[in-house]
Amino acid sequence: MSVIDHDRLGRWYDRIPPRGAWRAAGGLIAFGLLAQRSLAGAIAVLVAFAVAEVVFDAADLD
């Protein structure tokens, strides 16, 4: 018998906004950096969000 109430605990990513919101945020940040003529920064943001999505998928292997 477990002392943790699994019904209330839920998954850790239930508290994180949906992927569409994360993609939109990454796109807006990259667009803002491109507007400031920071190509390296925009590419870094896109790579960071892509890596985060891969990590998210890897963590969701139930």
Side-chain angles (χ1 to χ4, degrees), residues 15-58:
R15 295 179 295 274
I16 297 176
R19 286 187 178 188
W22 284 110
R23 290 176 183 156
L28 287 174
I29 294 169
F31 180 75
L33 288 169
L34 284 175
Q36 293 179 355
R37 297 180 183 212
S38 177
L39 180 62
I43 291 173
V45 166
L46 293 176
V47 168
F49 274 85
V51 168
E53 191 156 337
V54 169
V55 169
F56 181 85
D57 286 339

